[in-house]
Amino acid sequence: MNCSIRAVLRAGFTSLGLALLFLFPHMAWAHASLVDSNPAANEVLSEPPASIEMTFSEHLQPAFLSVQVRGADGSRVDAGDAALSPGDAAVVTASLKTGIPDGVYTITWRVLSADGHPIQGVIPFQVGTAGEMPGGTGAAAPSPLARPDLVAVRWLLYAGLSLLFGLLCFRLYVWRSHNESNSPWLGAGAARLQTLIWTGFAITAAAVLVSLPLQVSWDAGVPVVRAFSPALIGEALQFTTAGKVWFVQVMILLLLSVLLLYAFDHAQPERKRLLWSHMAVILILGIMLAKAFTGHAAAAPIPALTITADFVHLAAASFWIGALAAMILYLPAATRQLPTAESGRIRNEAMRRFAGWGMTAAAALLATGIYTALVHLPSLGALVTTGYGYTLLGKTALLIVMLAFAAYQFRLVRRSSGHTQNGAAVRWELSVGMLVLLLAALLTHLSPTAGAETSTEGGSFRQTAAAGSYTVELAVDPARVGSSSFQVWIRDTGGQPVADIQQITLTLTPEADGGQNQSQEIVIPAKSAQPFDANGLLAALGTWTVRVHALTGSLDSIDADFELPVAGP
């Protein structure tokens, strides 16, 4: 590669990174969750409030914000002016109509967190003493996850990028024609190569174009047909990170189509065609980098590092899987007219050249995969207690299978200069790679902390919390004023019950008086089988803090706190 091309590549990467950082300078630090509300869940007020206020753990995106306050008869009593607080994007405020009568009211809210995932919840409260309080905690719950259409489109995007990026990189950087004077876009197999690259471009473009309406449907909670509304699309483009990223990706795709047309134009000078080809690689990387500014990476504690890791992870996977597709779909056509021995030699040489690149891609996948897992998972126990963890384990297992196929193939071609490449092994490796992309697409729509979500169905409470290298699960039934049963499970990082628990103490503290007068302790004796259970009395409605303290046989302490919403009797 000559100096001018290297200079273009360096300038291209630098410009791309600066442009995206300029477009998306403000990134979040964690997944949003509701931390406080006024009125609080299940609070009884003597006078109607003039407004409501909800505080979240992190900044929210201003699009598709919905807050409705309804009375027992279903009529709305809010003024319809819900918005983020001008001084704090983590606070949502909404005014209420004046003179609302005594009764039970329900706040139904839905907001868009910084990582692009909508969360929603219900907060019941009461004005006066008339009426019966409905169930509800106010706790943030994610919208339905892993919608098949969103996962399918994300998988198509990954597959299209792999085909497009992998084929270009394979032909430009990995494999050289046996006649080095030939252009990468001329000679045997050139027509097949261009067809495959344009196919990858078409799949990528289609996935990008369709992704915004589907994302709007999910974010706004509307049917897909309504998501094509110009008003909703405009709101997404103006106020959401996903909308801005979509716009950047569409612009890059337009530029990429022009570059590919020039790169494949035989009337153009060869040097310029190569230059445009290298610039096309930079633009494809730009699509991947833009994608990394959405999803879980955008809500990590150190966004810059996690976005970089997400970008490198996708680029490495796309190169690896795309290069496999090149060896199956392109190389046979490029060597078909050669003698069998020569064809085998060239294909084995291509495999040898790919080995170094492949090991680099595998190392990048391993390093970035471990880093992002440590960032997103609340504990090692989440690997076996959440859908995200199970999917991540499945993806890891499939990557190990891919590495096994790659090692077998590389060992095979090293032993002989003849035609020893095992096409079946490469096909299996590619098939497993496509499954890896599917699980990667699924991961983007799963919550790493789904196991810690609160369930309050039927008036009961159930929640899992991390406690160092352990997970603690608490169930309370019913979560209402009066006598209730308490159950506790304690598991290790492998998801197995901890066997040497000596004693468990539950400390129950109502929020209303700060725990000065009504704190109570429930001591649960050890027993051989979990759950550990006991009965206790919840004397007042409102939010209670339940501290679970367990002592192991080696005198290790296990502590976890839970916010228990207690409804009226």
Side-chain angles (χ1 to χ4, degrees), residues 75 82 131 379 414 525:
S75 60
S379 68
R414 282 189 62 186

Side-chain angles (χ1 to χ4, degrees), residues 228-430:
F228 285 87
S229 161
L232 293 178
I233 295 292
E235 186 174 355
L237 290 172
Q238 185 175 1
F239 297 113
T240 70
T241 301
K244 295 172 184 177
V245 165
W246 181 88
F247 179 79
V248 170
Q249 289 178 327
V250 169
M251 293 299 101
I252 292 176
L253 284 169
L254 291 175
L255 291 174
L256 180 59
S257 65
V258 175
L259 286 179
L260 290 177
L261 286 171
Y262 277 106
F264 296 152
D265 184 0
H266 296 169
Q268 298 295 322
E270 179 60 24
R271 187 171 174 276
K272 288 187 176 181
R273 295 177 64 195
L274 280 175
L275 183 61
W276 289 322
S277 300
H278 293 304
M279 292 176 64
V281 171
I282 294 175
L283 290 183
I284 297 168
L285 288 171
I287 296 174
M288 298 181 189
L289 182 57
K291 178 265 164 197
F293 278 76
T294 63
H296 299 309
I302 307 178
L305 288 179
T306 314
I307 288 170
T308 301
D310 190 76
F311 162 65
V312 172
H313 196 79
L314 177 56
S318 298
F319 170 78
W320 187 358
I321 294 171
L324 292 173
M327 284 186 280
I328 292 175
L329 302 175
Y330 164 60
L331 266 186
T335 59
R336 183 176 294 125
Q337 297 178 359
L338 298 175
T340 302
E342 180 68 5
S343 173
R345 184 192 67 78
I346 292 174
R347 292 164 73 174
N348 281 356
E349 180 63 22
M351 177 62 75
R352 288 192 183 92
R353 292 187 178 186
F354 171 68
W357 291 83
M359 285 188 289
T360 302
L365 280 170
L366 179 64
T368 54
I370 292 174
Y371 173 75
T372 53
L374 292 174
V375 168
H376 297 318
L377 290 172
S379 68
L380 289 178
L383 283 170
V384 291
T385 58
T386 66
Y388 185 94
Y390 286 125
T391 305
L392 184 60
L393 289 175
K395 179 186 172 185
T396 303
L398 290 177
L399 282 173
I400 293 174
V401 173
M402 286 186 69
L403 285 171
F405 277 121
Y408 165 75
Q409 184 67 29
F410 182 59
R411 183 181 179 188
L412 194 64
V413 298
R414 282 189 62 186
R415 288 185 170 182
S416 172
S417 60
H419 187 186
T420 58
Q421 188 187 71
N422 191 325
V426 178
R427 290 187 185 91
W428 276 108
E429 188 178 348
L430 177 60

